[in-house]
């Protein structure tokens, strides 16, 4: 018994010392990654708590706010209400106002007539795209989540866009892309905006290529390629030789300190 107690005491004395030695490292990590902890708190913990308290989804709560704090038929007012909600109340991974200006500028420069959006979510980027389109253009927006698609539909119509301008397709992108020619009479896409699951970026891009929907000069803009990141997608761009491309460096939406970027691709065709 004495031996056991004498062997146990040093362990009990050393453990607190070891723990204290890790305190500076822990504090360093917390300080270094504090913005990611804040993002986790806003995007995950707050969402879980409010889901339980309200019985509504985060997207439904955002829609209620936009509905009561924007002007029907005014896309700018609707986007402003969304931006306030996402920056001050609850985080939602819309493209946001800063990266949104890059999207706005490219749409104005390209004046695309046929646009595909992969990932409508709750309609923010859909409205942002639709308001920048030239007369006679048409936006096809794909959203696989039925609850989010229902909210996106309300937001799109609240902004004043009808079915002739925006068609919302509720299905997974890998099921819709092969049917764009047969079901929607699409021969070529002038502009594609990707903001859905990052793991889908590469297979969906290759599906668009494989089904002949990309023509020389077709543009693709892909969000969040640096955070949370789409490494396979970027590796493919470096190797395939089908695109002129570049990264627009920016901060993560509704964040001042998390670095992100958008990939701009212009299809050159098979050389």
């Amino acid at each position: 018994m004495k031996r056991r107690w004498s062997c146990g005491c040093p362990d009990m004395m050393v453990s607190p010392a070891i723990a204290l030695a890790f305190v500076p490292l822990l504090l360093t990590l917390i300080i270094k990654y504090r913005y990611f902890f804040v993002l986790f708190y806003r995007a995950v913990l707050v969402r879980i708590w409010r889901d339980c308290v309200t019985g509504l989804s985060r997207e439904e709560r955002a829609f209620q706010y936009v509905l009561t704090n924007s002007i029907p038929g005014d896309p700018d007012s609707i986007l402003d209400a969304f931006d306030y909600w996402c920056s001050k109340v609850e985080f939602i991974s819309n493209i946001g106002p800063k990266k949104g200006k890059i999207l706005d500028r490219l749409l104005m420069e390209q004046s695309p007539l046929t646009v595909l959006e992969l990932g409508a979510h709750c309609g923010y980027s859909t409205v942002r795209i639709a308001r920048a389109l030239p007369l006679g253009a048409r936006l096809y927006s794909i959203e696989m989540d039925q609850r989010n698609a229902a909210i996106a539909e309300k937001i799109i119509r609240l902004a004043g866009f009808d079915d002739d301008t925006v068609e919302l397709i509720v299905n997974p992108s890998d099921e819709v892309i092969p049917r764009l020619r047969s079901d929607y009479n699409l021969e070529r896409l002038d502009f594609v905006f990707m903001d859905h699951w990052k793991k889908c970026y590469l297979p969906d891009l290759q599906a668009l290529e494989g089904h002949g929907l990309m023509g020389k000069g077709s543009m693709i803009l892909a969000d969040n390629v640096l955070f949370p990141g789409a490494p396979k997608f970027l590796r493919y761009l470096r190797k395939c030789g089908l695109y002129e491309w570049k990264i627009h460096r920016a901060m993560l939406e509704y964040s001042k300190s998390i670095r992100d970027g958008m990939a701009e691709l212009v299809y050159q065709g098979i050389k």
Side-chain angles (χ1 to χ4, degrees), residues 208-235:
L208 292 170
E209 297 166 0
H211 288 87
L213 292 163
M214 308 299 295
K216 186 174 177 60
S218 294
M219 179 176 284
I220 302 99
L221 185 65
D223 194 16
N224 303 126
V225 296
L226 299 183
F227 184 86
K232 292 182 179 179
F233 176 78
L234 294 179
R235 281 198 297 269

Side-chain angles (χ1 to χ4, degrees), residues 47 49-58 61 90:
R47 177 181 184 176
W49 178 73
R50 290 188 172 171
D51 283 355
C52 294
V53 170
T54 65
L56 300 173
S57 71
R58 175 183 57 179
R61 292 191 294 274
E90 289 188 67

